[in-house]
Amino acid sequence: METMEPVIGLEIHAQLNTRTKLFCACPTEFGAVPNTNVCEVCTGQPGALPRMNGKALELAAKAGLALGSAVNRESLFSRKNYFYPDLPNGFQTSQLDPPICQGGSLTLELGDGTEKTVRLNRIHMEDDAGKCLHDEKRGLSLVDLNRAGTPLIEIVTEPDLSSASEAVNFLKKLHALLVRLGVTKGRMEEGEFRCDVNISLKPKGSPVLGTRAEIKNLNSFKFVGQAIEYEIERQTGVYGRGGSVSQETLHFDSEKGETRSLRSKEEAHDYRYFPQPDLPPVEISGELLARLRETLPPTPEEAKKRLVALGLKPRQAELLLERPGAPEYFHEAHKIDDDAPRIYSLMEELFLPACQKEGLDPSDSLFAPPKLAALAKLLRDGTVGRRKAQELFPDFFAKGSDPSEAVRSGNLSQITDPSELLPMVEKVAGAFEKEAKKFLSGEEKILSFLVGQVMKESRGRACPKTSAELMKNHVKERFAGAAKETV
Amino acid sequence: MPAIDEKTALAIAKLARLDLREGLAPGTEEAELKKLVEEFGKIVGYMDILGEVDTEGVEPLYSPMVEPRPPREDAPFTAAAKDADARGAKGAPGKPESSGDPDASFDPDDPDSSAKEDRARWILDDAPMTFGRYFTVPKVV
Amino acid sequence: MTKLHELSLEEARAGLLKKDFKVLELAESVLSRIEEVEPKIRACLEVFGEETRKAAAAMDEAGPDPSKKLWGVPVSVKDVFLVKGAPTTAGSRILENYVPGYEATVVEKLREEGALIVAKTNLDEFAMGSSTEFSAYATTKNPRNLERVPGGSSGGAAAGVTAGEFPGAFGTDTGGSIRQPAALCGCVGLKPTYGRVSRYGIIAYGSSLDQAGPLARKVKDTGILLASVAGPDPRDSTSSSVKTDDYADLAEPDPGKLTFAIPKEFWEGTFDPNVKKVLDRALDLLKENGVALKPVSMPRIGYSVATYYVLAASEASTNLARYDGVRYGHRAKKYDDLLSLYVNSRTEGFGKEVKRRILLGTFALSSGYYDAYFKKAAKVRRLIREDFEKALEGADLILAPVSSIPAWPFGAFTDDPLTQYQLDVMTLPLNLAGGPGLSLPAGLGDDGLPVGVQLFGKPFGEKKLLEAGLLLEKIFPALPAAVV
């Protein structure tokens, strides 16, 4: 049998980051008591009519601009008709033709150093359905319409992907981009970023596509990878046995790690699309597009270039760019103190891990960029040592304190680290050689004078006990031979 | 004209979640169904006269709406905002409609959020069958 | 002494403001008249006696408010207008026990203008019909002849207004459902321009065709009612921000300066002889008064029936998909799975005519037929609108008959849907084009049945339309009060 290769296309549904739903003013908050974030519009009551949320339109257009799509100045909403308990109107309001965006692409860096451009077919807006929970015991399905009407964009790729890892790579990059743009919060546990996979196999080099299967509703990168790998194997097996793959809708059972055929919602989907008569055509003015373009963050390549130009190594820049909010934070701190490497290392070692632990976006942390810049300066000046900085950081981070304030008010805790104290001890011993030799020759009381000088040197922060120990040993080591001579 | 046979009629009915056989008197069911299908076919057949009109180069007109509402703000809709809309919307007689832009005003942050559960209560109360705060249907496999 | 319920809306309001009588007295007169006449005509599905009396008493306490256009005036609404806390059925069994927790913008605006919502009027189920015979709850009779239909689908509104049950009513007009019953009962009915009045909270039939509008016994009254509700609604995306005029401030035009377009496609058909006689006389009266009548052609009008029914049924088929027994309304008692829940609830709940239109609409939108039916009809719609625009060039308004036959006997067309559809040929075109239309009585036929004419105006030209209506109202013979 000839070698078969996978042909994969993705349909991603991302929840738009709006306060209210697409066609009514109900809140989009997750996890509310069932059927409380609802009204006559999103529960499909008789007489209710839709009114479109302008923010949703802006976010959809922004996504299109960032992905290099053509944003249609005029697009239409369509009714997509079918019956299902989580669909209160008996139709979904989506966009058939024309959608808000067409075309576009996202370029991936493949493992082997090459690049691959994945083309997009379209981006369109639509409203989400509610949720159906299945109660096995009572033989009921329970319907919660809180989610019904939530604004989504659907992003459809061309079937340009050829492996599970490419697909996951694509999704991660798309997710990071959309989150960075503020288009979606992308919280996958809350269902804000979901993916359907269309996958078929074809003989290598053949232009003819095979029959494709659709795996619906995957909501984690891991499951996407697993589902695709399973399905490739399954389809390969079918062809290997001389059979044919049927066009079907599949569900991925994450526990068993396999795809299963879904009992179809409708036998043949005749959605009877037609333009939504209750909504005007969607218009985007040139001004709005220009304004949105200005709010776009730089492309990853541009962003990386900017960071490298400021003094970071390429790998450092990449690492920063992987963390939403980190590049912006870096730039803010760098404006105040241009010590790029130090700012970066503070972020990498201390700040970002702390944010991650608390589940905070850098922009939401109390430890704002000027404070990190202040800490960098203190380190550079030697006012605070590295270990001390590490020790003090959790407190600074939690309280959002300004480190230079803390130094001024003497609120820094004691230096107990011998490696920090030793340089000061050495300095003092060198400056006060006479006194050091006197100590060696038996004037014990002189030790407190020398320790006092260490205290002065450390602006009162040296731990006296440790300093005394260190001074004793150091003086002995350094001046022992000499002392004998004088006596 | 497409042939509207019984199979087609029943398929269309199923798409619309209707049963054409329901309510027909047993015994004459088949004859009555035949009549229904014929009537459906006649009605569709009449609509075929649309084919006589030359619509070359004519764009479809789906709605005669003029100056419809623009997209709204992404904010909850409070009662106060509603009043402002209503007053603005009517305008003074004879004056141009500038005195109140009915779209300008969805005030954000309804302080009376405890009304939220009550606001939706009537919706659940009108449901023919609920389980707690859920609508119910037979289990979808 | 004129009984209070016989006053026109304008007279009633004026009398209330002058304190010639109290709100409660007017309300009592209206409610007694309803009680007296309802057993004969069954125009109302529900009457809000207690609420009306209470509200009336409170208004008398507070005293007249001249800033309110409808202060103390009783008004009815067709049972597709949602009224909060009151059953709203759309004349259908599928909404048998539905009590909404919100209400139509039109109802809110009427209340804000001081009106008393006194009744819900009968209609063809989901506004689909031209005789009100398709109501699942009651059969409304024409007050001029109890053996005859009142027209439809706003038959209850027209019958009620004509019989003096209330001085004003609101109905909806998708293909003529205000204008035709007004003509068949012998009262005035106005369909505003699409988008002039909010559709929010009105049970939808044909989304791009529906429009709420007033019925009353005098043209001026319909102007006052329109003024109370016209204007954009933030909740109805299709409502228009084109500026409103003062529709209550009307001046009769000089007939010598008026030109009416007379489209031959409307006037040269076959008419019932009694109807034809009244129409011919109406044209003569207009000419005698100096109105110029300009013959024009509107060549695509003959395709209106097919265009309308394909588009309306298509929109309706999806507007009615929400009635599935899950969240409100009728739910079948017997079903074994989701599919049978849907099928049984809908099949039991919808009447025959509604089912016919759902089938037609589902068909016209379905894959393989969409281009030839739905999209094609939408193209013809544009051509029909062009016909209107052309006809109105060089004319102030278009004048047309409303119905080729007078109010017909019950049962005449209920089993012949195609014939019934074709009877609407003169009212449907306006909804396709979107402009405003006014229907008013032209006279009584020798058979004692009213004959109406209609005027079509330019989009948002209701003021000019109503003013011309005032003139015709003066020129044409007044109808006797309906003796029921």
Side-chain angles (χ1 to χ4, degrees):
Chain A
M1 194 193 77
E2 19 178 9
T3 322
M4 303 289 274
E5 61 180 11
V7 175
I8 301 167
L10 301 175
E11 281 169 28
I12 297 103
H13 290 92
Q15 182 175 322
L16 294 175
N17 183 16
T18 59
R19 292 175 65 185
T20 61
K21 294 184 178 182
L22 184 52
F23 296 119
C24 66
C26 287
T28 54
E29 59 166 308
F30 181 82
V33 172
N35 290 308
T36 48
N37 284 338
V38 294
C39 70
E40 60 268 17
V41 179
C42 54
T43 57
Q45 300 291 319
L49 294 174
R51 175 89 192 276
M52 187 186 68
N53 182 337
K55 181 86 191 281
L57 173 61
E58 289 184 18
L59 293 176
K62 195 167 168 180
L65 287 172
L67 288 163
S69 312
V71 179
N72 286 320
R73 296 284 297 272
E74 200 176 283
S75 59
L76 283 182
F77 277 112
S78 314
R79 288 189 184 178
K80 178 180 179 179
N81 301 282
Y82 63 97
F83 286 86
Y84 204 69
D86 61 7
L87 197 66
N89 289 314
F91 60 81
Q92 179 190 35
T93 300
S94 177
Q95 294 189 290
L96 183 67
D97 187 38
I100 182 165
C101 303
Q102 280 171 292
S105 66
L106 194 59
T107 304
L108 308 176
E109 283 94 41
L110 299 179
D112 59 4
T114 58
E115 280 188 346
K116 179 171 189 164
T117 298
V118 178
R119 297 166 301 160
L120 301 181
N121 180 287
R122 55 162 40 218
I123 304 176
H124 70 249
M125 292 183 283
E126 56 183 39
D127 58 351
D128 208 348
K131 278 217 186 96
C132 248
L133 310 167
H134 306 294
D135 183 339
E136 290 287 344
K137 198 171 74 176
R138 292 183 186 82
L140 292 177
S141 286
L142 307 175
V143 183
D144 172 14
L145 296 176
N146 278 348
R147 196 183 67 178
T150 303
L152 302 175
I153 37 168
E154 180 173 328
I155 300 172
V156 182
T157 75
E158 297 289 4
D160 289 350
L161 297 157
S162 354
S163 71
S165 67
E166 270 180 25
V168 172
N169 188 344
F170 175 87
L171 285 171
K172 282 187 173 165
K173 190 160 184 185
L174 179 66
H175 181 271
L177 174 64
L178 294 179
V179 171
R180 208 166 89 241
L181 288 172
V183 165
T184 180
K185 286 227 161 90
R187 292 172 295 207
M188 296 175 82
E189 341 65 68
E190 294 183 7
E192 292 177 352
F193 191 85
R194 321 187 297 251
C195 178
D196 297 343
V197 177
N198 290 305
I199 173 169
S200 63
L201 300 181
K202 70 174 172 71
K204 202 171 170 76
S206 161
V208 179
L209 296 179
T211 313
R212 67 165 197 232
E214 185 184 5
I215 314 172
K216 286 198 84 69
N217 246 316
L218 297 157
N219 66 351
S220 91
F221 300 127
K222 190 171 93 178
F223 293 160
V224 169
Q226 286 175 357
I228 292 177
E229 306 239 312
Y230 178 85
E231 186 59 16
I232 292 174
E233 217 182 283
R234 185 188 78 84
Q235 289 192 13
T236 307
V238 168
Y239 287 121
R241 288 190 293 279
S244 55
V245 168
S246 39
Q247 181 172 21
E248 52 187 346
T249 308
L250 303 171
H251 164 73
F252 179 66
D253 182 337
S254 51
E255 267 167 60
K256 296 202 184 124
E258 31 182 70
T259 59
R260 267 189 296 116
S261 191
L262 268 183
R263 253 270 283 282
S264 33
K265 291 181 188 177
E266 316 248 314
E267 294 70 0
H269 288 276
D270 185 354
Y271 291 122
R272 289 158 281 134
Y273 284 97
F274 73 104
Q276 228 296 25
D278 291 328
L279 290 168
V282 180
E283 288 172 359
I284 305 193
S285 66
E287 290 85 45
L288 176 59
L289 274 182
R291 188 162 57 77
L292 289 173
R293 275 208 185 85
E294 273 166 40
T295 67
L296 288 182
T299 64
E301 287 67 36
E302 287 167 21
K304 189 168 156 189
K305 274 207 203 118
R306 274 176 71 189
L307 288 168
V308 167
L310 292 178
L312 291 185
K313 301 202 183 67
R315 186 68 193 129
Q316 292 176 330
E318 278 167 29
L319 286 170
L320 264 191
L321 286 167
E322 273 175 20
R323 299 289 304 279
E328 292 78 4
Y329 188 97
F330 176 87
H331 281 294
E332 282 300 310
H334 186 268
K335 275 193 205 147
I336 300 165
D337 188 320
D338 63 1
D339 187 350
R342 202 178 298 268
I343 304 264
Y344 173 81
S345 75
L346 278 176
M347 285 181 70
E348 198 226 351
E349 281 176 40
L350 298 174
F351 178 71
L352 292 175
C355 285
Q356 177 127 28
K357 185 150 162 268
E358 300 301 318
L360 276 180
D361 185 283
S363 58
D364 293 329
S365 163
L366 292 173
F367 195 70
K371 296 166 186 169
L372 188 123
L375 184 58
K377 183 169 194 299
L378 291 170
L379 274 166
R380 192 171 54 244
D381 294 342
T383 314
V384 175
R386 225 176 110 247
R387 291 256 172 85
K388 183 54 66 175
Q390 278 170 349
E391 199 187 298
L392 296 171
F393 186 79
D395 193 60
F396 287 157
F397 182 81
K399 294 190 187 141
S401 340
D402 182 342
S404 30
E405 255 313 301
V407 166
R408 263 193 291 278
S409 60
N411 252 351
L412 300 175
S413 49
Q414 248 187 12
I415 304 178
T416 52
D417 186 349
S419 62
E420 267 191 73
L421 293 169
L422 198 54
M424 290 185 258
V425 164
E426 288 170 1
K427 188 171 171 196
V428 165
F432 296 95
E433 199 178 315
K434 214 166 82 177
E435 284 77 3
K437 287 179 181 162
K438 276 195 190 162
F439 167 73
L440 272 183
S441 58
E443 281 192 44
E444 303 272 337
K445 285 197 199 119
I446 285 237
L447 186 62
S448 31
F449 167 74
L450 291 168
V451 170
Q453 289 303 314
V454 174
M455 293 303 277
K456 202 165 145 204
E457 183 69 24
S458 71
R459 279 175 234 178
R461 293 176 53 221
C463 169
K465 194 155 152 250
T466 317
S467 304
E469 276 305 309
L470 288 172
M471 185 59 80
K472 265 198 274 188
N473 295 334
H474 177 70
V475 159
K476 273 197 199 123
E477 240 182 69
R478 193 169 172 177
F479 299 115
K484 284 198 189 102
E485 281 164 13
T486 53
V487 162
Chain B
M1 161 169 141
I4 307 288
D5 56 1
E6 193 173 290
K7 185 158 160 277
T8 310
L10 290 175
I12 300 280
K14 182 156 187 209
L15 263 185
R17 296 298 184 262
L18 294 172
D19 179 359
L20 294 180
R21 288 203 159 90
E22 231 281 316
L24 299 180
T28 54
E29 210 185 77
E30 283 313 310
E32 284 193 57
L33 181 61
K34 191 155 169 279
K35 237 178 76 183
L36 258 172
V37 173
E38 263 172 32
E39 183 188 78
F40 184 28
K42 241 175 83 184
I43 293 174
V44 170
Y46 174 80
M47 305 304 157
D48 285 338
I49 62 167
L50 290 172
E52 292 169 17
V53 186
D54 179 9
T55 54
E56 185 69 44
V58 179
E59 281 301 301
L61 176 67
Y62 295 117
S63 166
M65 56 176 114
V66 177
E67 280 185 39
R69 316 318 320 120
R72 65 176 164 88
E73 272 188 46
D74 180 26
F77 189 34
T78 60
K82 220 162 58 161
D83 286 338
D85 290 327
R87 271 182 270 113
K90 276 192 300 236
K95 274 204 334 228
E97 211 61 38
S98 61
S99 47
D101 175 3
D103 300 309
S105 59
F106 291 100
D107 278 344
D109 297 318
D110 181 356
D112 191 11
S113 58
S114 64
K116 191 166 67 167
E117 270 213 30
D118 284 46
R119 181 162 57 86
R121 190 69 240 176
W122 69 269
I123 293 176
L124 278 172
D125 288 344
D126 269 326
M129 201 178 284
T130 53
F131 181 75
R133 289 197 65 96
Y134 293 95
F135 304 101
T136 69
V137 293
K139 188 167 155 311
V140 180
V141 178
Chain C
M1 227 278 277
T2 325
K3 303 204 191 98
L4 293 180
H5 68 258
E6 288 171 5
L7 294 172
S8 76
L9 189 150
E10 189 182 19
E11 289 166 346
R13 177 177 177 264
L16 286 170
L17 290 180
K18 279 191 290 160
K19 289 193 165 176
D20 290 345
F21 43 85
K22 295 215 184 97
V23 179
L24 187 57
E25 291 176 77
L26 174 62
E28 287 291 4
S29 175
V30 154
L31 288 166
S32 325
R33 177 66 179 166
I34 291 175
E35 210 181 299
E36 181 196 341
V37 161
E38 269 300 285
K40 294 183 218 164
I41 66 169
R42 275 306 250 127
C44 303
L45 288 178
E46 187 156 348
V47 181
F48 304 119
E50 205 186 292
E51 299 90 325
T52 303
R53 286 185 179 95
K54 238 169 83 186
M59 291 180 90
D60 284 325
E61 263 293 311
D65 183 349
S67 73
K68 304 245 156 114
K69 299 190 175 79
L70 294 172
W71 192 80
V73 177
V75 172
S76 70
V77 296
K78 183 176 180 179
D79 205 18
V80 281
F81 289 79
L82 266 65
V83 170
K84 187 169 171 177
T88 303
T89 68
S92 179
R93 288 280 167 217
I94 212 160
L95 282 178
E96 197 157 23
N97 39 27
Y98 180 64
V99 178
Y102 82 105
E103 61 188 14
T105 300
V106 163
V107 173
E108 283 182 0
K109 287 189 170 184
L110 288 171
R111 289 196 208 275
E112 278 163 26
E113 291 291 357
L116 297 167
I117 309 294
V118 71
K120 299 296 249 4
T121 55
N122 198 18
L123 66 156
D124 283 296
E125 186 182 359
F126 282 102
M128 299 181 193
S130 351
S131 62
T132 310
E133 291 175 285
F134 294 128
S135 168
Y137 294 100
T139 304
T140 301
K141 314 242 174 77
N142 192 319
R144 306 264 180 200
N145 183 327
L146 298 174
E147 316 279 295
R148 304 278 174 140
V149 301
S153 58
S154 312
V161 149
T162 306
E165 287 187 330
F166 22 76
F170 266 88
T172 59
D173 189 311
T174 308
S177 293
I178 288 175
R179 291 164 287 142
Q180 184 254 37
L184 265 50
C185 288
C187 68
V188 182
L190 171 69
K191 178 197 102 60
T193 309
Y194 183 83
R196 178 78 291 173
V197 179
S198 170
R199 290 185 300 119
Y200 194 81
I202 302 176
I203 298 181
Y205 157 25
S207 312
S208 71
L209 301 153
D210 292 341
Q211 193 57 191
L215 296 94
R217 295 187 285 276
K218 307 285 278 178
V219 171
K220 178 73 185 286
D221 294 348
T222 61
I224 298 171
L225 288 165
L226 178 65
S228 308
V229 300
D233 178 7
R235 289 182 300 176
D236 174 3
S237 299
T238 62
S239 66
S240 179
S241 58
V242 169
K243 79 166 185 54
T244 54
D245 294 311
D246 186 355
Y247 307 113
D249 176 22
L250 304 172
E252 204 182 285
D254 175 358
K257 299 213 174 90
L258 274 180
T259 304
F260 289 164
I262 306 290
K264 68 174 206 261
E265 289 81 3
F266 281 89
W267 289 92
E268 287 173 11
T270 315
F271 288 84
D272 171 285
N274 290 304
V275 171
K276 182 126 180 33
K277 196 163 155 200
V278 174
L279 291 174
D280 286 342
R281 180 78 187 117
L283 291 174
D284 288 339
L285 284 168
L286 286 169
K287 279 188 275 198
E288 281 167 29
N289 276 272
V291 177
L293 303 179
K294 180 176 176 223
V296 298
S297 173
M298 296 177 69
R300 273 79 57 117
I301 289 303
Y303 297 101
S304 305
V305 176
T307 307
Y308 169 86
Y309 276 98
V310 167
L311 295 173
S314 298
E315 292 178 351
S317 71
T318 79
N319 282 330
L320 269 59
R322 65 191 62 195
Y323 303 103
D324 58 10
V326 175
R327 288 148 292 117
Y328 45 77
H330 174 73
R331 184 181 180 114
K333 296 250 170 3
K334 286 222 200 91
Y335 52 87
D336 16 56
D337 58 7
L338 182 65
L339 179 62
S340 51
L341 169 65
Y342 286 152
V343 172
N344 296 354
S345 303
R346 290 165 62 78
T347 306
E348 287 165 20
F350 289 135
K352 263 201 314 208
E353 182 59 32
V354 167
K355 283 184 192 139
R356 270 186 208 123
R357 298 200 195 188
I358 292 177
L359 283 178
L360 174 60
T362 306
F363 170 82
L365 290 173
S366 63
S367 140
Y369 300 116
Y370 177 89
D371 285 338
Y373 291 91
F374 183 80
K375 194 164 179 188
K376 180 77 178 184
K379 291 181 179 181
V380 180
R381 181 176 190 172
R382 187 176 293 280
L383 296 174
I384 290 172
R385 184 167 78 170
E386 274 176 25
D387 282 359
F388 272 85
E389 288 161 355
K390 275 227 185 66
L392 285 168
E393 285 168 14
D396 296 290
L397 300 161
I398 297 170
L399 179 73
V402 179
S403 172
S404 53
I405 56 175
W408 54 85
F410 290 100
F413 302 108
T414 44
D415 287 322
D416 189 359
L418 259 183
T419 306
Q420 183 154 39
Y421 295 169
Q422 285 160 326
L423 288 174
D424 289 334
V425 64
M426 287 186 278
T427 51
L428 302 171
L430 185 68
N431 302 78
L432 294 170
L438 180 71
S439 157
L440 60 137
L444 218 53
D446 291 339
D447 51 7
L449 296 168
V451 177
V453 288
Q454 53 181 338
L455 291 166
F456 304 140
K458 294 200 171 91
F460 303 99
E462 284 83 354
K463 185 158 175 155
K464 191 162 171 176
L465 187 64
L466 289 164
E467 288 176 333
L470 283 181
L471 176 68
L472 266 59
E473 192 172 56
K474 200 176 78 174
I475 293 177
F476 295 153
L479 263 53
V483 179
V484 190

